[in-house]
Amino acid sequence: MQTWLTEHAQIDVPVISAPMGGVAGGALARAVSAAGALGMVGAGPGTDPDWIARELDVVASAGRPFGVGLLGWAVTDVDAVLAVLAPARPVLVSVSYGGELSDWVAGLHDAGITVATQVGTLDDARDADAIGVDLLVVRGAEAGGHGRNQVATLPLLQAVLDDVDTPVVAAGGIGTARGVAAVVAAGAAGAWVGTAFATCREAATAAPAREALLAAGLEDTVYTRVFDLAQGAGWPAEFGGRALTNAVTRTWAGREQELEARPPALTALADQVAKARADGDVAFAPVWAGQAVGLVERPRTAAELVAELARADALLRRAAGL
Ligand SMILES: Cc1cc2nc3c(=O)[nH]c(=O)nc-3n(C[C@H](O)[C@H](O)[C@H](O)COP(=O)(O)O)c2cc1C
C-alpha cells in the first residue's frame, strides 16, 4: 500500500508506532522499523539528551527509517535536543503538547527532518498548519496517554481532512488492520498506533502493567488529570491522560478540582501513587492506555503486530472489489 507516508518515509507499511515515554525506547522502535513500519522513540518528561542519543543508536542499528517524539512542554533546552537529533537523522520528529512549536520547526527543517505534532481539535490542526508543521497527527479522545479529550478520532479526522491540505495520520483507538484500513480509506496517510504497541514484547512496559493491559476491555479506560496532580508532573492542565481504570480513578476521576482544593488528600494520594509506582502495583499506579486496549488479547512481537496492521491493504482491496 502506498501513501504519502510510505513514500515520504521510505517504509512499507503506513503505520507509525507512537512515541511513548517510558514504553517506546530504542528496542521497540527498532523492532517496528525493522518490520517495515516507522518506529518512534518516545522521550518522556525529564528525559536528558544523552538518553535520546543512546536510544537513537539502538533504533538506527536496524538500518531503517525511524522517528523521535518529544513533549514540547517538558523540553527546557531546545538547542541541546536539536544538537542530538541532527546527526542521528531521524526521518520524523514529533513535538506535541505545549512549548513553542515554532521554535522547533526551523531547526528541524534545517536538519532535513520532517516535523509532526499531535492535534486534538480543528483549531489545533489549523494552528500547526500555519506554523509549517509537515504532518498532522489527528488524535482523538479515545487515544491512550496524554492529549485532549474533546473530539473522537473519526469526526476529527473528517473535519481536518476537509480543512487542511497538509498530510495527516490518524491516532486514537486504532489497534487492528480494520482501523488502519478505515483511516487510510478516509484519506489519512497512515495510522499512529500507541496502546497496541505498548503491549508488544519489545516495549519497556513493566510486567504488571502488561498483564493489566492484556486483561483490560474496551470499557476499562478513563480520561483524567488525577495521576498528574498526584505526581506533580508539570503537564499543562489542558492535557489530561487516558489510563486504565483502577482504585485511584474510581475514587477521584471527575473530582480533580475537589482534589486540588484539598491539599491533605492530594498529599496522601501522591504518597500512595508514588509507592504503587515503586512497587508495580497497578491498582494505584497509572497504566496509560486508550480504548484500543480492548482489541489486544495476547502479547505479540512488534513484527507480529506490524504484520497484522499491514493486512489493511487486503481489506482495502476487498472493499474496492479488487
Ligand atoms: C503509554 C503511553 C505513553 C505515551 N507517551 C507519549 C509521549 O511520551 N509523547 C507523545 O507525544 N505521546 C505519548 N502518548 C500518546 C501517543 O503518542 C498517541 O497519541 C496514542 O497512543 C494514540 O492512541 P492509541 O493509544 O489509541 O493508539 C502515549 C501513549 C501511551 C499509551
Side-chain angles (χ1 to χ4, degrees), residues 9-81:
Q10 295 285 296
I11 56 176
D12 305 322
V13 183
V15 167
I16 299 172
S17 63
M20 295 181 279
V23 167
L28 178 62
R30 183 185 195 285
V32 171
S33 288
L38 188 71
M40 300 275 284
V41 169
T47 303
D48 80 83
D50 290 346
W51 181 89
I52 298 175
R54 278 198 303 278
E55 298 304 306
L56 292 188
D57 279 349
V58 174
V59 61
S61 65
R64 301 282 301 163
F66 59 90
V68 185
L70 307 164
L71 299 174
W73 68 267
V75 178
T76 47
D77 189 342
V78 173
D79 289 338
V81 174

Side-chain angles (χ1 to χ4, degrees), residues 9 31-32 73 77 97 150 154-155 171 181 191-192 203 209 214 223 227-228 239 266 279 288:
V32 171
W73 68 267
D77 189 342
Y97 312 137
Q150 274 93 327
L154 269 183
W192 172 284
L214 292 170
Y223 182 87
F227 292 115
D228 297 331
F239 303 118
L266 184 54
D279 295 347
W288 303 110

Side-chain angles (χ1 to χ4, degrees), residues 17-24 41-45 69-72 94-97 118 137 139-140 142-147 153 170-175 192-198 205 213 235 242 287-293:
S17 63
M20 295 181 279
V23 167
V41 169
L70 307 164
L71 299 174
S94 70
V95 184
S96 301
Y97 312 137
Q118 300 192 60
V137 182
R139 179 190 188 278
E142 55 270 66
H146 287 81
T153 302
I174 301 167
W192 172 284
V193 178
T195 297
F197 279 108
T205 308
L213 290 166
W235 275 93
R242 184 169 291 279
V287 179
W288 303 110
Q291 292 174 355
V293 73

Side-chain angles (χ1 to χ4, degrees), residues 167-245:
V168 159
V169 292
I174 301 167
T176 70
R178 296 184 194 284
V180 178
V183 299
V184 170
W192 172 284
V193 178
T195 297
F197 279 108
T199 61
C200 286
R201 295 188 192 281
E202 297 89 343
T205 308
R210 191 186 303 268
E211 280 168 30
L213 290 166
L214 292 170
L218 292 169
E219 297 164 38
D220 292 337
T221 69
V222 63
Y223 182 87
T224 181
R225 291 184 58 231
V226 165
F227 292 115
D228 297 331
L229 295 174
Q231 294 178 99
W235 275 93
E238 66 263 39
F239 303 118
R242 184 169 291 279
L244 295 186
T245 50

Side-chain angles (χ1 to χ4, degrees), residues 2 11 17 21-22 53 65 93 121 124 134-135:
Q2 287 199 330
I11 56 176
S17 63
V93 169
T121 62
D124 279 356
D134 308 296
L135 176 65

Side-chain angles (χ1 to χ4, degrees), residues 253-271:
R255 295 170 60 201
E256 283 85 348
Q257 284 186 339
E258 181 188 339
L259 185 63
E260 281 182 287
R262 288 174 50 191
L266 184 54
T267 304
L269 183 64
D271 292 346

